[in-house]
Structure formats: C-alpha cells, structure tokens
C-alpha cells in the first residue's frame, strides 16, 4: 500500500464529544507520524492496533495499516505483529479501563520481556464508551453508574506499575501540551524496546479534568536518573510531571529470541515444516 498521497487523518466521520481530550491526542499522533515519516520511518513499515472504547475510534481516524483488536488485547496484538516481522514499527492505543484493567497482564509482560512496541494509553479515569463507570485509574470518590455513592478504591498508578515491571521507556503526556505530546510519541516510537505513553486525557462528558490538569501539569526538564527516582516522580500529587520519566536501553525481546532473520521472510512452506518436524521426531526416537 502506498501512503505518500494519503493524509494521516482518514475521512471517517469523527464522533467524539466536542472538547474531548482525544482530539488533541489525535493531532499529536498525526504530527508525530509526519515527523517519523520525515525521519525515514514511513507508514509502509508502521502498523497500529486499538482496544475497544472511545479511544479505539482513533483506529478509524488514522490512515495507518493495522488490526482493530478486542478489549485489552491491543498490546498482545502488536507484540504478535512485531514478533512476526521485526522490520515493523508497531503502536497501539488503549484506554485506562482497557489497558490497565482487562489488559494489564499483557502490558506487564510486554514490559518485562521488553517487546519492541509503543503503547499509548488514553487515560481518562473512566470507562467512557460504556457511559462512565469507574475504572482502575478513577480517583477515590469518583461517581458513576457503578459507584453512585463514590468509588471507595484508591486508583492504581500505571506509571509506577510499569516502572516496577522493568519498562525501559515510561512517559506521561497531556493533550493540552500538544507539541510536547507529539515529541513524546516520536521518541517512544524510536525507542528500541517497550515504551509507554500514558496520556492524561480529559473526558468532558464523564470526567472533565481540564481545570485540574491545566493547574497541575508541569513539563519535566529531563528524565529521572534512576528507576527509583522515576517512581517518585510518578507518585507526585502536588504537581503532575509530564515528559519522559525514565528511559533505559535494554536487549529487545525479538532479538533475544532470534538474533538474526525475519520469520515472515524466512518462513518455511508446508512441506519444509513437515520435513523439519519429522526430522526432530526421528532424532528423538
Ligand atoms: C471483554 C470485554 N469486556 C467488556 C466490554 C465492554 N466494553 C466496551 S468499551 C468498554 C469500556 C472502555 O473503557 P476504556 O478502555 O477506559 O476506554 P474509553 O471508552 O474510556 O476510551 C467496555 C467495558 C468489551 N467490549 N469486551
Ligand atoms: S465520552 Fe468522554 S472520552 Fe468518550 S468521546 Fe466523549 S468526552 Fe471523549
């Protein structure tokens, strides 16, 4: 497929609520894809996936090849793509309900094995598409259809969870700082290994956090030197630091499993596979 003549944004009608933080995120992704194209990472080697939710609609709004996944499984889907063809750059979009609830174990193990994927989480603190139920990142006291009296749970801190899972690139962005978010996405895609960009995404309909974020968000000058310091940054509540909290180069999963070669190109045909299996069985006899 030739992408050169196609806009990054598709012509599909956008149905997000007016004012939704997803618009800023979409714009940042569009700008990031253009920057990556200028740097030689074109859409011919890029694939995306998305979970199910308001966030997932971004899959329709982008002219990038990929596979729409199921709830919480977008990180597993892009791991498969990358593992099959290491030439690819893969990126997935998840929601906080989706990636930090249903899909959390996939995300933790992707970070643990340092799969070379980029995960962008539209963290709006609720299950928005299903009308605002509390999610793993909803603040204590959050009121929604499943917590009419206010949630009694403490939210999880996804950055701390992923930092504790040995993630090599952990960042937080805010659509209200669109250029900054664009640069974070570019850096995350270029990072060789697992990268997470947690996006503080206001949901104007069920969790309007613009005022809070505009007050508390602060751009970090540089990443923390150590993982421990990064966790401390992630835990700050008086301000919300955005930027790359932590970055570390580590061996990448697919290169550890097969240092050379490309499973898609080196694929055996059926006869060769049967022959290889037969040989292994004969040797075991
Ligand atoms: C396995 C499974 N469980 C539940 C659902 C129903 N469901 C669809 S979207 C959604 C909520 C999505 O919330 P979130 O991931 O936070 O995304 P948002 O809509 O906030 O962007 C749920 C529970 C589903 N599609 N599949
Ligand atoms: S419900 Fe919330 S997250 Fe979904 S489109 Fe509307 S504002 Fe955005």
């Amino acid at each position: 497929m030739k992408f050169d003549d196609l806009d990054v944004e598709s012509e599909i009608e956008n149905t997000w609520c007016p004012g939704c933080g997803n618009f800023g995120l979409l714009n940042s992704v569009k700008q990031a894809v253009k920057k990556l194209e200028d740097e030689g990472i074109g859409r011919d080697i890029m694939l995306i996936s998305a979970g199910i939710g308001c966030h997932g609609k971004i899959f329709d709004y982008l002219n990038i090849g990929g596979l729409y996944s199921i709830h919480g499984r977008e990180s597993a889907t892009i791991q498969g793509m990358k593992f099959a063809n290491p030439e690819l750059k893969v990126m997935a979009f998840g929601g906080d309900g989706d990636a930090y609830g249903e899909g959390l174990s996939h995300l933790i193990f992707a970070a643990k094995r340092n799969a070379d994927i980029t995960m962008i989480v539209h963290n709006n603190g609720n299950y928005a598409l299903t009308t605002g139920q509390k999610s793993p990142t909803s603040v204590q006291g959050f009121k929604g259809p499943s917590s009419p009296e206010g949630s009694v749970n403490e939210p999880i801190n996804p950055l701390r969870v992923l930092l504790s899972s040995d993630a090599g690139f952990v960042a937080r962005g805010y659509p209200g700082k669109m250029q900054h978010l664009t640069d974070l996405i570019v850096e995350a895609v270029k990072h060789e290994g697992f990268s997470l960009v947690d996006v503080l995404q206001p949901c104007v309909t069920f969790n309007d956090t613009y005022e809070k974020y505009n007050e508390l968000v602060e751009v970090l000058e540089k990443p923390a030197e150590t993982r421990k310091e990064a966790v401390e940054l992630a835990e700050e509540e008086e301000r919300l630091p955005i930027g790359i909290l932590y970055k570390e180069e580590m061996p990448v999963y697919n290169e550890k499993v097969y240092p050379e070669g490309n499973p898609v190109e080196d694929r055996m045909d059926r006869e060769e596979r049967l022959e290889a299996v037969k040989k292994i069985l004969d040797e075991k006899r």
Side-chain angles (χ1 to χ4, degrees):
M1 184 167 182
K2 253 185 123 355
F3 284 101
D4 299 359
D5 306 325
L6 271 183
D7 276 345
V8 182
E9 187 167 357
S10 74
E11 288 181 2
I12 289 176
E13 185 194 358
N14 192 311
T15 57
W16 285 329
C17 309
C20 174
N22 281 331
F23 285 101
L25 203 164
L26 173 64
N27 274 322
S28 292
V29 173
K30 276 163 44 187
Q31 297 308 326
V33 170
K34 283 188 207 145
K35 277 192 171 193
L36 288 163
E37 283 180 332
D38 291 345
E39 295 186 33
I41 302 173
R43 276 175 282 165
D44 52 335
I45 56 157
M46 199 180 279
L47 282 182
I48 59 170
S49 185
I52 306 297
C54 293
H55 66 274
K57 297 181 184 182
I58 199 168
F59 186 91
D60 296 328
Y61 305 151
L62 290 167
N63 273 326
I64 306 177
L67 183 71
Y68 216 138
S69 192
I70 51 175
H71 204 35
R73 269 58 179 180
E74 64 283 354
S75 66
T77 304
I78 56 169
Q79 281 182 78
M81 293 168 177
K82 178 73 190 187
F83 198 66
N85 184 353
E87 304 292 312
L88 296 173
K89 286 282 178 193
V90 295
M91 184 162 44
F93 302 90
D96 46 297
D98 162 273
Y100 299 150
E102 195 127 8
L104 185 62
S105 57
H106 288 292
L107 208 53
I108 286 177
F109 286 105
K112 275 306 266 188
R113 61 172 74 98
N114 200 24
D116 188 8
I117 65 169
T118 295
M119 189 69 206
I120 298 174
V121 182
H122 306 216
N123 183 355
N124 58 20
N126 79 101
Y127 288 90
L129 189 73
T130 44
T131 67
Q133 294 82 2
K134 71 182 166 70
S135 81
T137 58
S138 296
V139 293
Q140 213 170 26
F142 177 84
K143 286 190 179 165
S146 58
S147 56
E149 304 293 327
S151 168
V152 294
N153 297 333
E154 282 273 356
I156 65 155
N157 182 322
L159 302 177
R160 186 173 62 200
V161 173
L162 271 299
L163 282 163
S164 313
S165 309
D166 298 337
F169 184 109
V170 176
R172 177 157 62 194
Y174 176 47
K177 301 255 181 225
M178 218 149 56
Q179 188 54 51
H180 181 261
L181 179 56
T182 300
D183 294 341
L184 282 185
I185 296 169
V186 170
E187 287 309 308
V189 173
K190 280 164 53 182
H191 175 76
E192 298 205 344
F194 178 90
S195 53
L196 170 82
V197 184
D198 176 78
V199 181
L200 299 170
Q201 180 242 311
C203 161
V204 287
T205 304
F206 300 112
N207 193 23
D208 189 349
T209 45
Y210 275 116
E211 218 177 284
K212 174 179 167 188
Y213 292 159
N214 285 338
E215 193 187 322
L216 297 185
V217 156
E218 217 174 286
V219 176
L220 274 176
E221 275 176 28
K222 57 182 174 59
E225 303 266 325
T226 65
R227 201 171 276 280
K228 194 163 169 272
E229 281 169 25
V231 171
E232 282 163 17
L233 284 176
E235 284 176 339
E236 286 192 26
E237 287 181 359
E238 301 293 299
R239 62 169 192 154
L240 291 168
I242 59 167
I244 303 173
L245 273 71
Y246 188 66
K247 187 174 168 173
E248 185 181 342
E249 306 291 336
M250 293 183 289
V252 169
Y253 179 59
N254 59 281
E255 286 173 13
K256 283 194 279 182
V257 177
Y258 47 88
E260 282 168 31
N262 177 322
V264 168
E265 285 167 9
D266 308 338
R267 199 162 177 267
M268 293 182 205
D269 65 26
R270 189 168 184 275
E271 289 308 313
E272 285 170 322
R273 268 201 313 279
L274 287 175
E275 216 29 64
V277 171
K278 194 163 165 291
K279 193 164 163 244
I280 293 167
L281 291 175
D282 284 346
E283 280 166 6
K284 294 234 181 256
R285 266 194 203 126

